[in-house]
Structures are given as structure tokens and as C-alpha cells.
Amino acid sequence: MQIQDLPYPDPGVPDARSGPRFLWWLFRNQLGGQLKSLAWGLLHFLSISALPFCVGVAIQAVVDHSGRRLALAGGLLALCCAGSALGDTFLHRTAVTNWITAAARVQQLLAHKAANLGSALTRRVAAGEVVAVSTGDVEKIGWFVEAWSRFTAAAVTVVVVCAGLVVYQPALGGVVAVGLPFLALAALPLLPRATKRADFQREKAGRATELASDTVAGLRVLRGIGGEELFLDRYREASQEVRHAAVRSARMWSLIAAIQVLLPGLLLIAVVWYGVHLARQGRVEIGELVAVYSSVMILTYPLRHFEEIAMAYSFSRPSATRAARVLSLERATSAEGSRDRAGDDLPSGDLYDPATGLLAPSGRLTAVVCGDPDAAGLLAERLGGHPSEVGTSVLLGGVPLNELPLGSARTAVLVQDKDPVLLSGTLRDLLDVPASGAVGAEEALAAAQCADVLAALVQGSLDTEDPMDARITERGRSLSGGQRQRLALARSLFTDPEVLVLDEPTSAVDSHTEARIAQGVRDLRAGRTTVVFTSSPLLLDHADRVVLVHEGEVVAVGVHRELVRKEPRYRAVVTRETDEEAARDGVRNEDAVLTEDAVLNEDAVLNELEEIEETA
């Protein structure tokens, strides 16, 4: 796999049982690239390591006044230099390719997993951890995968040079062969402590990143309540903890680096001292002494890769563990489904949830009232056919949705959660989604009451007259909460699915706009199945059918004005009635007969509703 061939047609199925197993899986899937990098690395390192032998031969040739051996040494030097340059060039090229392709594979796997899990991902993994895995962790994993081949080449080179020194000059070569393993393994006792400190630093950095992300996301609210300084102080404290942890980690790695410099120096001193002693006795030639001394100096270069691979593994192991934890998450139901249906042969009909008894008749607008917003979100997700929790499948036209492939289920039933995401780009890009073609962009935007949003986008974009070409900032941060909600609603309406499920689509919109949206959605979705989770009287009054879900079961079905009179639990949710107010209402029997005060309260709510509709 080359960089120009990315992305992968199929990134494969990762071994996510543990971080080391995931790293090994990545290595096996890059075996061809690793072997290329190993080959070029051996050429580079062996060419460099051969230079001292050439120098030794040249010096001894000068001492012996041998022009032929001097010329041979010069030719070998030129050959080694060419091999070193060629090997270094292509080693760097193949190593970087391995790094980028490994990182790209991990990013593709994470993207596929996020698309597969949907909103269930952030329920099971903290948002800050997802960000850390998909950014910094990906680079660290790629670093280890890329460094492994260079380390292997360096290790092979050290073994070959030691063996060559023993053959070339047994006395001095034996000293080097005994000393080099100690140099290579000297830092091992310090690695667990260095790894522990590095893990602690990353933990603190992840906490600071998550705190910063939460602060930025809620900045508008924080400014409203004057909480900016409080959260700024918290972030400063978290940032200082990261700094202190980074300093402690750097001290340990500095100690390891110092050992990697000190011990080779001591070995050089020992070789020189012993070599001079042997030279005085006439057991070593000058050229041999220079060759061994130069070899020890040159070997400090490949030995550096022992430190690098230790650092790379120390940093990549927890990163791979986090990535494996995300990649090991599975949906409650298979994304492939068990039914073999044609792409255009999607089920249609009534939407029914056997777990709660919720029925949304085909072609009608059904409003669902839940006292618990979290329960409403889980129920909305289950209506999409592939929930994050195991349970009874929702039926669409009698067909279990979890038996359909995930793509088919999402085509048949579109779920818009209460916190929809707007990606950066133009409004045209925002509406570039799969759609039936029966609803135009202008119709969807008008039904969602986006006229003022379009005007704001045009005003905020330079040299743009067409609202469709206006830019939307990242996550729509330049827009208010209500404006973001309306654009997301317009996108869902433009898609025009067979079944549309909306979870609190107007929670950040004012009453007058909400009344117009309710009428616009009803008109645009006429003949289509629509389910709206809401407690707003304005939306409920436009629904063909209102369902009250209490403690996971459907307990009442009717229309809004009927339920608000007869069902105290429904009225408590819709009118925000407190327990004291409910007690004053005096529910006398199981039919929930209203007292005079409750009737007056209900009439006031309905009168206010009618006034808002008239002004709208």
C-alpha cells in the first residue's frame, strides 16, 4: 500500500482484544512495507558500520606502504558511502509510508466504528477520549509501527558488527561483544517507571482536553451565568497538572538518554585502554585498533534506535489500548442484518415498538410525551431499528428493523436526536444528503422557519448573495441554539424518509416560531409517518395522535386537548405542574376528575395556545 492509494478499500477487521494485539495486527497487515523498510535499513546501517573497517584497512595500508590495499580501501569507502546514502533515502521513504498508512488504517477503522455505533459511541466512551484516540493516539501508533523495522535493522546490524569484530580482532572484538548487550539493555529497568509517568501525563492531558472541550461547547451558557472565570480557573489548574506531569516524565526520559550517552563513552574508554595495551605488546595492529575504535563509535548510532523503540512502545501501548477499547465496541444488533432485501424494497406501514406498546400509524403525525428526557432519547434511538442496547426489535410494516442492514434501516427510519451536529461548510454542503427528491431545499427551509437564519448566514459571509453558498462554521457555533435546531430540522425534512423521528426539535425555539414550525412540519410531512418526542403544547396540539409513555410503557393515547383534561400524569409533564399543584387539583378517582381550579388552569393554557396560533 502506497500513500497515493489511500484510503484502503477495506481496512480489515482489527484484533481489538488488547493494545499489544492491535499493534501486532497492524504490523502483520503491513508486512510488505515492513520488509522493504527492513531491507533498506540493513543497507544503510551495514554500510555505515563497514566504514570503520575500510578506514582501518586504509590506515594499515599506509603503515605497510601498500598502494593496492589503499586503493581497495578507497573503493570500499566510496561503495559504503553510496550504500549509506541510498539506504538512508529509501529507508526514510518507506518508514514514513509505513507511518502514514498505519495511521490512515486506524483512522478509517475509527471512522467506520463511529458511523456504525452512531450516538451510542459517546454514551459508552467519553467524548474527550474519542478525540484523543482519533488525533494524538493515531500518530503514536503509527510511530511505533514505523519504528519497528528500523529497530530490527539496527539490532541485526549490531549483531553482525559484533560477530565481525570478533572474527576481525578477537581480543578487542570480545570486549565489544560483551559490552554492547549491556549498552542495549541498560535502560530496560527504567522503562516501567518512564512508562508509568508517561501514562499519568496522558491521563492528565486527556482530562484537560475534555475540560476544554466542555468549556468551549458551553461557553455561551457560561457567559450568561458568569461562570467563565470558574471554568477558566479549573482549566488552569488542570493545565498545571499536565505541565508538572510532563516535566516528571521528561526527567525520566532524559535519564535514559543520558545513560545511552554515558555507557558507550565508558565502553570506548575501555576499548582504547585495552587496545593500547595490546598494541604495546604487538598483538594488535594500528589499523585494527582504529577499526575497532571507530566501530564502537559508529555503533552508538544504531543503538539509539533501541531507545527510540522503547519510547515508541511506551507511548503507543496505552494509545493502542484506548484505540482497541473503542474498536472493540459492538452494536446490540448486527449492522449487516439477517434479511436479504433489495435496496429499493424497503418496508413501509405502521411503526410499532413491542417493548413499550408505542404505535405510530402510517402517514400520520404522532407525538410522544415522556417525563424522562433520557428515556425519550433511548426510545427514539430504538425506533431507528439498531439501538445501542439489546431488546425487542421495532417493527415497520411488520418487518423487524434490526433484521435489515444498518444502511437500509436508516434509509427507512431517520432519527434526529436532540443535539444534531452541523458540519462546517456551505449550506449547500449541509443539504447534500441522500434524499427522495420529493421535497425541495426551499420547501424544507421554509417549513423549518429558516428565513432569519438564511439572512444571518448571508450577512456573516463576505461576497455571498446566495444563502446556499453561505458558510457555516464548525458545529454551527456562530449560530444560536434555535438557529442550529432549525437548520438541522430542515436537513431532516429535505431527506424526506419514509419515517421521520424527531427528538425535541424545537426545544431552543421561541413560542411564535415554534407554532409556525409545527404547522410547517405537519403540512410538509402530510402522508408520511412522523414521530415527534416533545412536551410542547404547540407541537402536541398539531399531532394527529398523542401517546404518553410512563415508566417504559404506553399509558394513554388520544389528542392533546383530551389528554390534558383527563390524564393528570400527562398534564403534569405538559404544563410543568408541580406535586403541590397536583395535590391542589384534587384527583378524586381513577378517571382523574378535575377540580374547578384545575379546569381554570387548563382553560388558561388552551386560551394562550389559541392566541399564539392566531398571531402566528
Side-chain angles (χ1 to χ4, degrees):
M1 172 62 70
Q2 299 297 317
I3 295 177
Q4 63 264 26
D5 298 326
L6 295 175
Y8 287 93
D10 179 11
V13 180
D15 185 349
R17 289 177 291 177
S18 66
R21 288 178 183 272
F22 180 58
L23 290 174
W24 175 242
W25 178 84
L26 283 174
F27 177 82
R28 286 190 292 108
N29 279 271
Q30 284 193 322
L31 192 57
Q34 294 291 338
L35 291 177
K36 288 180 182 179
S37 184
L38 175 61
W40 290 116
L42 285 173
L43 176 62
H44 174 59
F45 288 126
L46 290 175
S47 296
I48 290 180
S49 300
L51 290 174
F53 292 96
C54 298
V55 172
V57 171
I59 292 177
Q60 193 61 41
V62 172
V63 172
D64 297 339
H65 304 286
S66 174
R68 186 178 61 83
R69 281 190 293 164
L70 183 61
L72 176 63
L76 291 176
L77 277 172
L79 184 63
C80 289
C81 290
S84 174
L86 184 65
D88 188 29
T89 300
F90 284 94
L91 171 62
H92 179 74
R93 179 186 179 90
T94 55
V96 171
T97 300
N98 290 338
W99 186 337
I100 294 177
T101 52
R105 186 188 294 273
V106 177
Q107 286 179 327
Q108 276 189 256
L109 290 170
L110 292 171
H112 289 179
K113 181 61 65 173
N116 187 16
L117 292 176
S119 60
L121 176 62
T122 52
R123 292 197 185 103
R124 299 162 72 177
V125 181
E129 183 171 351
V130 176
V131 173
V133 170
S134 59
T135 53
D137 285 342
V138 167
E139 293 187 5
K140 293 181 178 66
I141 293 171
W143 176 27
F144 175 75
V145 173
E146 170 266 331
W148 180 256
S149 57
R150 287 190 287 112
F151 161 72
T152 305
V156 171
T157 300
V158 170
V159 173
V160 170
V161 171
C162 287
L165 287 175
V166 171
V167 174
Y168 179 70
Q169 174 44 250
L172 288 177
V175 175
V176 176
V178 172
L180 280 179
F182 286 100
L183 298 185
L185 304 177
L188 284 182
L190 299 177
L191 286 180
R193 183 174 297 182
T195 301
K196 184 177 180 181
R197 292 189 179 186
D199 290 345
F200 182 74
Q201 176 196 349
R202 282 188 290 272
E203 179 184 345
K204 292 295 183 181
R207 179 179 175 274
T209 301
E210 187 171 349
L211 180 60
S213 177
D214 292 342
T215 302
V216 171
L219 189 59
R220 190 185 299 271
V221 177
L222 291 177
R223 286 175 175 172
I225 63 177
E228 293 174 89
E229 288 299 326
L230 174 63
F231 275 78
L232 183 59
D233 291 340
R234 290 181 181 177
Y235 181 75
R236 284 189 182 127
E237 181 180 350
S239 178
Q240 290 301 312
E241 291 178 355
V242 174
R243 184 178 68 84
H244 290 309
V247 170
R248 293 184 71 249
S249 178
R251 286 173 180 169
M252 186 56 64
W253 288 111
S254 298
L255 177 60
I256 293 175
I259 291 175
Q260 295 293 321
V261 173
L262 175 64
L263 294 184
L266 295 177
L267 181 60
L268 275 175
I269 293 173
V271 168
V272 171
W273 179 83
Y274 187 56
V276 170
H277 175 70
L278 293 177
R280 286 179 176 178
Q281 296 179 350
R283 297 167 56 186
V284 174
E285 300 289 343
I286 298 299
E288 294 176 338
L289 177 60
V290 171
V292 174
Y293 170 78
S294 301
S295 295
V296 175
M297 289 191 62
I298 291 294
L299 282 178
T300 58
Y301 172 56
L303 282 175
R304 287 285 182 180
H305 291 80
F306 285 72
E307 177 190 353
E308 182 192 13
I309 197 64
M311 292 184 65
Y313 181 73
S314 173
F315 281 92
S316 66
R317 182 186 56 78
S319 297
T321 300
R322 282 194 293 266
R325 184 163 57 247
V326 174
L327 294 174
S328 64
L329 299 176
E330 297 293 341
R331 297 188 61 86
T333 57
S334 171
E336 300 299 327
S338 59
R339 286 180 175 249
D340 185 15
R341 303 178 66 94
D344 297 331
D345 186 19
L346 296 175
S348 60
D350 296 344
L351 185 68
Y352 177 66
D353 178 24
T356 60
L358 173 62
L359 173 66
S362 175
R364 301 178 67 184
L365 173 60
T366 302
V368 181
V369 177
C370 291
D372 183 2
D374 293 334
L378 292 175
L379 179 53
E381 183 187 62
R382 189 160 68 247
L383 293 180
H386 285 255
S388 57
E389 299 177 355
V390 178
T392 306
S393 175
V394 171
L395 307 176
L396 178 59
V399 177
L401 284 177
N402 65 4
E403 294 184 4
L404 297 177
L406 181 59
S408 298
R410 287 179 173 172
T411 300
V413 181
L414 174 64
V415 180
Q416 177 185 304
D417 62 23
K418 58 172 62 68
D419 296 314
V421 176
L422 301 182
L423 301 178
S424 59
T426 65
L427 183 56
R428 196 183 308 280
D429 295 333
L430 179 69
L431 297 178
D432 185 16
V433 294
S436 68
V439 177
E442 295 78 7
E443 297 175 273
L445 291 167
Q449 300 299 311
C450 294
D452 63 314
V453 184
L454 301 181
L457 289 174
V458 171
Q459 185 177 3
S461 301
L462 298 177
D463 302 328
T464 300
E465 296 181 359
D466 187 353
M468 299 298 292
D469 295 326
R471 299 287 301 180
I472 300 174
T473 57
E474 180 186 1
R475 300 181 68 88
R477 296 192 189 281
S478 60
L479 304 173
S480 67
Q483 290 173 328
R484 289 196 298 270
Q485 265 192 345
R486 282 179 279 165
L487 283 180
L489 176 60
R491 178 177 57 188
S492 299
L493 294 174
F494 174 71
T495 303
D496 189 38
E498 180 69 26
V499 179
L500 176 61
V501 179
L502 304 172
D503 187 6
E504 295 289 351
T506 58
S507 59
V509 177
D510 64 85
S511 299
H512 293 282
T513 305
E514 189 176 25
R516 293 193 293 268
I517 290 176
Q519 187 61 51
V521 171
R522 180 181 176 86
D523 294 341
L524 193 63
R525 293 288 299 174
R528 292 288 208 178
T529 307
T530 308
V531 181
V532 181
F533 287 81
T534 183
S535 59
S536 168
L538 294 169
L539 288 176
L540 294 170
D541 196 51
H542 282 79
D544 299 315
R545 174 186 175 91
V546 178
V547 179
L548 173 63
V549 177
H550 181 69
E551 296 182 354
E553 293 183 357
V554 172
V555 295
V557 179
V559 294
H560 169 61
R561 301 191 182 218
E562 174 187 349
L563 291 176
V564 82
R565 288 190 178 94
K566 296 182 178 180
E567 178 55 60
R569 289 172 296 188
Y570 177 84
R571 186 173 63 255
V573 175
V574 173
T575 64
R576 278 66 168 178
E577 191 177 52
T578 64
D579 292 339
E580 294 180 358
E581 291 170 339
R584 287 198 303 268
D585 284 344
V587 179
R588 297 176 181 176
N589 52 41
E590 62 182 359
D591 293 330
V593 179
L594 299 175
T595 63
E596 182 178 357
D597 290 339
V599 173
L600 292 175
N601 182 48
E602 177 267 333
D603 287 339
V605 172
L606 295 180
N607 289 335
E608 181 181 354
L609 173 63
E610 292 173 354
E611 290 177 2
I612 291 175
E613 290 179 341
E614 291 176 359
T615 57

